[in-house]
Amino acid sequence: MKKSWFLLLAIYGAFLAIGMPDGALGVALPDIRFDVGLSRGQASAIMIVHSLSYALAAAQTSRLEKFLKLKWVTGGGIFLLLAGILGYSVSPVLAGFIVSTVALGAGMGLVDTGANAFAVDHLSAKHMNHLHCFWAMGGAISPLIMRQMIIYYDWRMGYMAIFAVQFVIAIILMTSILRGMWEKSAAKRAETGDRGDMGTVPLAPREPRQAKETVPLSPPFLGPKFQYMQIFIFFIYVAFELSVTVWTVDVLLNSPRRDVVFETAGLFPAVYLGALMAGRFIFGYVAEKFSGISVIRIGFFIAAVGLIALVFTSNIVGIAFVGFGFAPIFPCLMNETKKRFGSDVLSKLVGLQIAAAGAGAAIGSFTVGQILEHVSIDAFFPVIIAMVAVAFVFNETIERAFRKV
């Protein structure tokens, strides 16, 4: 496809955009609480509002697509995201901050669902992993931007700097939409018979059919029961992925059986997200050589090794294994959706998976926090292992059923 590189740039930019807000908020929150006058309870409530608006918007994507094409749902989402970031930088009161949070969460949900749905239907497993690598890159870059802005100016200027980056991404995305690149990609793909990399694989000539031969119009796909199981995997995956981001430092500093200073503990999130980003880049190539289910299994195994190591030690290599192992699970599971369930429910199912991910972000990290508060802070890594085991069992159950249809 002519100029497909620009469309890829737009989709990669969309993933970079949705990775930036959460990382920035983690750095800016102490200053935001002081300036806006938020208690810790109010700050937690705002995070819940963000996750719920994200999940609700993602769940409504398929309905919106009936009135607007997927490209316009994604384009509208990027402008809601911009509005939320800008609102953070200028809102002087709590009410404005909450409204901005709703806009930001909804925008991220729409962009995430739209970009994932397009990528699942048009791009290869390599691109799916690299796209989610760019999400992790956004999450790693934005704290650095916010940190520098707070040092030299304040957190509002930090959000203005992030808004500037997002605005450039929005221009690129809208240019790809207005120039009809999304439709050209789909048309070229149908014309060439491409199976997932923007129209480069010609369709092989068909053998002549026998007169009485009957050929099924489509392969058999799994039904609603397994769709719900797949959705739940996204819920629990984001719950344990985000929980590791949010709670690891607190566990390392406050566990009576761990002797870790802040200078060391503070490196764990950076190493974790860095390994997640590197893993998605590397697994993007691995996924071209192996089946999606094989890559998912490899990811679960590597993550389990790291988590078990962290139960008994505080070695930073353990968190690197966890991040690297988690890296391919989300994108490869997303890429398996069409294979397992078919194109007819693809957009709806991707939307529900993203919605479940948003709900997992809100509910999962909160639940883990309650366990740490009321049960034991040393229960953290065993709880994460249990959650990972549940996700692994559900995925294996779905795969076993798929192989039988």
Side-chain angles (χ1 to χ4, degrees):
M1 170 185 167
K2 188 178 181 181
K3 295 188 178 179
S4 61
W5 65 269
F6 191 87
L7 178 56
L8 282 174
L9 178 65
I11 302 299
Y12 273 75
F15 274 80
L16 185 74
I18 57 179
M20 296 183 77
D22 289 339
L25 182 61
V27 177
L29 191 57
D31 283 26
I32 291 173
R33 287 183 55 241
F34 178 79
D35 287 353
V36 182
L38 300 177
S39 66
R40 284 192 173 84
Q42 289 171 323
S44 299
I46 287 176
M47 293 177 190
I48 295 292
V49 168
H50 174 274
S51 297
L52 290 178
S53 59
Y54 176 100
L56 290 172
Q60 297 304 311
T61 302
S62 62
R63 291 188 180 182
L64 291 172
E65 198 180 347
K66 294 178 182 178
F67 305 99
L68 301 168
K69 292 182 179 180
L70 185 64
K71 63 179 184 178
W72 293 117
V73 174
T74 310
I78 199 72
F79 281 105
L80 278 174
L81 195 158
L82 283 171
I85 293 289
L86 186 61
Y88 275 10
S89 67
V90 301
S91 178
V93 295
L94 177 58
F97 209 77
I98 292 174
V99 172
S100 298
T101 299
V102 172
L104 178 62
M108 289 175 65
L110 293 176
V111 174
D112 201 356
T113 305
N116 268 292
F118 182 87
V120 167
D121 206 25
H122 294 81
L123 303 180
S124 66
K126 177 184 73 175
H127 281 299
M128 282 300 294
N129 276 276
H130 287 177
L131 285 167
H132 287 270
C133 172
F134 265 61
W135 168 86
M137 185 183 296
I141 290 172
S142 61
L144 299 177
I145 295 174
M146 181 62 72
R147 177 180 175 275
Q148 290 304 110
M149 289 294 114
I150 290 175
I151 290 173
Y152 292 104
Y153 300 100
D154 60 15
W155 64 271
R156 294 184 187 275
M157 285 300 296
Y159 274 113
M160 286 301 295
I162 291 169
F163 174 84
V165 176
Q166 303 273 27
F167 188 74
V168 173
I169 293 172
I171 290 174
I172 296 170
L173 183 63
M174 291 307 299
T175 299
S176 72
I177 291 172
L178 293 172
R179 297 188 67 177
M181 292 182 178
W182 292 47
E183 287 87 349
K184 290 177 184 177
S185 172
K188 183 68 176 178
R189 180 172 172 269
E191 177 186 310
T192 61
D194 174 51
R195 294 186 180 274
D197 215 2
M198 292 202 168
T200 56
V201 183
L203 186 65
R206 293 184 178 181
E207 295 292 332
R209 297 181 182 176
Q210 299 296 325
K212 294 184 179 180
E213 181 185 11
T214 58
V215 178
L217 294 177
S218 63
F221 296 111
L222 296 173
K225 170 186 173 182
F226 295 101
Q227 293 176 21
Y228 294 139
M229 292 179 70
Q230 176 104 348
I231 291 167
F232 179 76
I233 295 174
F234 281 84
F235 172 90
I236 198 167
Y237 169 82
V238 174
F240 61 68
E241 183 196 80
L242 184 62
S243 293
V244 172
T245 306
V246 172
W247 295 112
T248 296
V249 172
D250 188 46
V251 170
L252 293 173
L253 292 177
N254 294 298
S255 170
R257 54 180 293 269
R258 297 179 187 270
D259 184 21
V260 182
V261 297
F262 177 77
E263 288 76 8
T264 301
L267 292 174
F268 273 65
V271 171
Y272 171 68
L273 290 172
L276 193 72
M277 180 177 68
R280 285 181 174 166
F281 181 80
I282 293 169
F283 277 112
Y285 292 102
V286 174
E288 294 285 281
K289 306 295 182 182
F290 299 92
S291 66
I293 184 63
S294 297
V295 175
I296 292 169
R297 286 167 176 164
I298 292 169
F300 273 119
F301 175 77
I302 294 173
V305 170
L307 288 167
I308 292 170
L310 289 170
V311 171
F312 301 102
T313 75
S314 299
N315 195 312
I316 200 167
V317 175
I319 204 70
F321 269 71
V322 175
F324 194 80
F326 284 172
I329 296 174
F330 189 103
C332 285
L333 275 173
M334 190 66 73
N335 217 41
E336 291 290 290
T337 303
K338 183 180 179 181
K339 183 185 81 173
R340 289 172 169 177
F341 305 104
S343 296
D344 290 345
V345 298
L346 180 62
S347 181
K348 177 182 178 181
L349 198 52
V350 169
L352 290 174
Q353 287 172 173
I354 298 297
I363 298 171
S365 59
F366 173 79
T367 302
V368 171
Q370 293 300 302
I371 292 172
L372 301 183
E373 181 72 22
H374 299 292
V375 180
S376 170
I377 198 165
D378 288 320
F380 177 66
F381 288 114
V383 166
I384 299 299
I385 290 172
M387 295 167 74
V388 170
V390 170
F392 177 80
V393 170
F394 270 53
N395 187 60
E396 290 298 311
T397 302
I398 297 170
E399 184 64 21
R400 187 173 181 179
F402 175 72
R403 293 184 180 278
K404 290 182 178 179
V405 296

